[in-house]
Each structure stands twice: as C-alpha cells, then as structure tokens.
Amino acid sequence: SCWTRRVRQTASLMCNDCRIPMCDACSEKHKGQLGHRNFSSLVKQEPTKEEDSDYTYEDSDDEENKADKDAIKMSTLLLKEVSVKLPEEKDCKVTGLSAFTNEVSTLVADVENRMLKLFDNNLELKWTVPVTRDCVGVTVVSEKSFATIAGKKLQYWDVETNEDETIVPKMEEEVEINHTGFAVHSNGKYIGVLMSSDHQVQIFHLSCDEMQAIDLKTIANRAITPGFTLLLDSDLDRFYISDRDYVNGTKLLSVSFTGEVIWECPVPASVGGIAECDNLLFVVSIGYAKIHMITKDGMDVGTLVSDEGKLPFHICTQPLEKTLIVSHNFTGSDRNVIRVYNLEEILYEQEKFEKDDEEIELP
C-alpha cells in the first residue's frame, strides 16, 4: 500500500499467505482487511543516505542498467496521446484496455467514473456505457462483442446498431465465477478470468456453456502469486501470467490450459499489463517505467523505456495498425491520458532477427 502511494518504507513482515513484504502499518491493515495472521519477521536494514532522499525506481542490477542504454526510448515511438477524461469528470482511473480491429477503436474501462468508453482511430469518443464500481477489466471478444469482469460475474456484451445508426452496447449474458475476478482477456475462442483468493484462472468457451478452472497453486508443484493481468494467446491454447516470487524473483509464465508450465522468463518487479503483437509479448514492469519484449518461446529480446519518466500500467495492442496503447494508473494527470506508440519498426527488426537466426540451406 505504501509503494502505490510512492512512500518508501522498509518491509518488516512477510505475509506467508500472500507472500508479500509489508511495513508495520500495512501489515496491521492487512490483518484487519483479510484476516491473515501467518507472518514472518524480516531483518530491518537502515536505508542509506542515497536511498532515504527520494523514492526511486532504479534497478540495482548493473548489467540491466547497461542494457538500458541500448533500449528503445518510448518517446521516439510516440504517435499521439489523448485524455480519456470527459469535461465533466474530475479524474480517471483506467482499469482495462482492449482494441477492436474491424473499426480500429480502443475500449477503455474507467472505474473512477464507472464507465466504459470507446475511442475511434483518431482517439475521439464514440460512445460510453455505465458499469458498476467493481468493473475492473474489459476485453474485446469479436468485432461486435466484448466482455467485462465485475466482482464474481463475467459479463458478455453485444454492440448493436439502431435504425438511426446509433451504437448501443447491450449486456447479453452474465455468468457466475468461483471467486472475485480482477482481470479478464479473450483470444476470440475463449474468455479467461484471473481470480483473487485462491489464485485461479477460469477458462470459458465463448458460448459460456463449458468451463474449466485451473488452480494455479498446483501448476509445476509450486505456489503461484499472480500479478495484475493475464493474456490468452491468440494462436495457441495457452495463457501468460506472472509469478510474483519475492524469494526467487518475478517471472512471466507460459501455461497450457491443462496447467502445465511451458516456459518461464524472469522480469523485474511486479507485472502490470501484458499484450501481444505478431510473435512478441509486451510485458510491463510496474514501477520501472519499462516494457519488456519477450518472444512467444520465452526469450527476452529487448526493452522499451519510458524516458519521460511515466509509469505504464495497462496496455493493449492494435494488430492492424501495429501500435501499442498504454495507460498510467498512478498519480497526477498521467492517469487521465492514454498514449499510442508505433511498433512497426520493432516488429520488422524482430522478423529480420528470426530470419537471420534460421539455418540457411545451401544449394
């Protein structure tokens, strides 16, 4: 809780149920809110003079700092930015992003104003629809439908056009899930919901008449503490999720629908948004102003660095336009804008790298 307010506190206790380090004040709130009592003491270390001055998000790994010098600055890829805050609103908090491809538009879930907002290709507002306060995620399912997650309900929406050609989103179906959901994603064939409590992912067929729950505590015979989002692969029956392991480091996992871990790739800090375009995954490291590029076979191939100091959180891609759409969830006016970045050159370089890496058969 301190960290999200950008207050620096030394962790004194570890919640063994959540595997999250906390200061004294946060642990007391945690006990009151969740009732967890299984804590371990951590050795306190006095912060150095440099550490105590300001809260910074610099990496301590020299090799990674060295690599960042060659990382791609996101400002060089920036195409445009737009405020998603309407004139009558005081503030926004984006809790979900997803992109339609048929009309090239971006769907934004704004939990602060209890509203879904659709922006067209020029990032101009097309329509809004009210949602409940607990709507914390949205995902495009098809050219005319999307899904939201609110509390313990998965909601399926159709986008209809009236006779006067006005567009009206209409909720068609609502399905109960096992626990409270905090992320949702669809690959066009399935809808996946990441749930809190016992850290499960439930996979739904689009008809919502079949489902299977995958208990993330049992995959690879180890406990999993997932991050804030998941991604269902557009081509394969697998999903991507982070494991916030505070002992061995955070990793991005590729997991089959049967619960088998296919590969894991280290990423620093907790993972926010995950998005895909062609063969690349774009993975946000919260607090480091970085987006890591990882291939679908688990290789880290580069980093996008926000050199203007903005901290990305939720992201999605627009495959037709080869763009990356980023929102910011922390403080100030950044919470009210989304930024669009051009990925064409990056995807071209990756494609070229893959071709160069193939064996050449001589005549």
Side-chain angles (χ1 to χ4, degrees):
S1 299
C2 290
W3 182 85
T4 58
R5 300 195 308 272
R6 303 183 75 163
V7 175
R8 189 181 185 92
Q9 295 284 1
T10 302
S12 56
L13 294 170
M14 170 81 79
C15 175
N16 295 322
D17 296 318
C18 300
R19 294 159 66 215
I20 297 175
M22 303 176 191
C23 68
D24 293 338
C26 288
S27 63
E28 287 303 314
K29 286 186 179 179
H30 191 74
K31 291 173 185 175
Q33 290 171 349
L34 297 181
H36 292 174
R37 293 289 185 271
N38 185 13
F39 282 80
S40 298
S41 295
L42 298 176
V43 177
K44 280 195 173 186
Q45 294 180 344
E46 291 302 318
T48 64
K49 196 169 185 180
E50 291 80 8
E51 286 177 329
D52 203 30
S53 57
D54 286 302
Y55 194 101
T56 60
Y57 294 106
E58 294 299 322
D59 290 326
S60 59
D61 194 311
D62 291 338
E63 288 299 316
E64 188 166 356
N65 285 334
K66 183 180 178 182
D68 278 352
K69 293 179 181 177
D70 301 321
I72 300 168
K73 299 295 185 183
M74 292 177 67
S75 59
T76 64
L77 307 174
L78 183 63
L79 292 175
K80 50 193 168 184
E81 69 177 35
V82 66
S83 174
V84 294
K85 182 173 72 71
L86 303 184
E88 64 273 17
E89 297 170 347
K90 292 183 179 180
D91 196 6
C92 287
K93 185 177 181 182
V94 176
T95 54
L97 287 174
S98 197
F100 285 97
T101 58
N102 56 325
E103 295 180 354
V104 190
S105 51
T106 306
L107 192 55
V108 176
D110 176 5
V111 71
E112 182 78 19
N113 299 291
R114 307 183 189 189
M115 193 177 294
L116 299 179
K117 304 172 181 178
L118 185 76
F119 294 85
D120 64 15
N121 186 34
N122 297 317
L123 295 181
E124 294 181 358
L125 186 68
K126 294 182 68 175
W127 51 256
T128 64
V129 60
V131 291
T132 57
R133 179 75 179 180
D134 54 358
C135 178
V136 293
V138 62
T139 179
V140 167
V141 176
S142 69
E143 293 183 353
K144 292 290 185 181
S145 64
F146 60 90
T148 54
I149 187 72
K152 293 186 177 181
K153 294 178 180 178
L154 170 65
Q155 299 160 333
Y156 186 84
W157 301 69
D158 273 338
V159 181
E160 301 176 351
T161 304
N162 289 339
E163 292 181 359
D164 59 358
E165 299 199 358
T166 57
I167 298 173
V168 180
K170 181 181 178 184
M171 191 189 300
E172 292 292 332
E173 200 164 358
E174 197 169 64
V175 181
E176 290 283 337
I177 58 175
N178 291 347
H179 302 280
T180 301
F182 59 94
V184 61
H185 188 259
S186 174
N187 62 1
K189 296 181 294 182
Y190 301 94
I191 300 173
V193 180
L194 175 61
M195 296 178 293
S196 58
S197 184
D198 58 354
H199 311 312
Q200 289 184 343
V201 170
Q202 265 185 284
I203 308 294
F204 294 82
H205 287 275
L206 286 184
S207 62
C208 293
D209 59 358
E210 294 181 41
M211 63 182 176
Q212 56 182 3
I214 302 171
D215 185 353
L216 295 185
K217 289 182 177 178
T218 62
I219 67 172
N221 296 318
R222 73 183 196 211
I224 297 295
T225 305
F228 299 101
T229 190
L230 89 157
L231 177 74
L232 270 62
D233 195 287
S234 59
D235 302 315
L236 305 165
D237 287 349
R238 68 173 64 168
F239 58 87
Y240 305 96
I241 191 171
S242 65
D243 178 10
R244 296 183 292 165
D245 189 332
Y246 290 100
V247 177
N248 300 312
T250 301
K251 298 179 179 67
L252 182 72
L253 307 181
S254 173
V255 185
S256 72
F257 281 5
T258 60
E260 175 192 0
V261 176
I262 300 164
W263 55 255
E264 56 185 56
C265 180
V267 289
S270 295
V271 171
I274 308 175
E276 66 170 331
C277 196
D278 292 358
N279 187 43
L280 284 182
L281 303 172
F282 296 89
V283 183
V284 173
S285 284
I286 301 175
Y288 287 90
K290 296 177 186 176
I291 298 177
H292 295 268
M293 296 181 288
I294 299 173
T295 63
K296 287 190 176 182
D297 55 5
M299 181 188 301
D300 195 332
V301 294
T303 307
L304 304 179
V305 175
S306 177
D307 56 348
E308 65 269 18
K310 312 302 181 188
L311 300 177
F313 197 104
H314 292 288
I315 59 173
C316 71
T317 52
Q318 174 52 261
L320 288 182
E321 292 206 317
K322 309 298 184 188
T323 55
L324 179 70
I325 303 161
V326 180
S327 72
H328 306 75
N329 251 25
F330 289 91
T331 58
S333 59
D334 287 334
R335 293 208 325 177
N336 299 325
V337 301
I338 55 176
R339 294 179 171 89
V340 182
Y341 299 91
N342 180 25
L343 296 177
E344 282 188 317
E345 188 67 26
I346 292 171
L347 296 170
Y348 170 77
E349 289 297 329
Q350 174 62 22
E351 186 178 326
K352 181 174 177 292
F353 168 79
E354 289 175 350
K355 286 182 178 178
D356 291 346
D357 203 40
E358 292 174 358
E359 279 192 24
I360 300 174
E361 189 175 335
L362 297 175

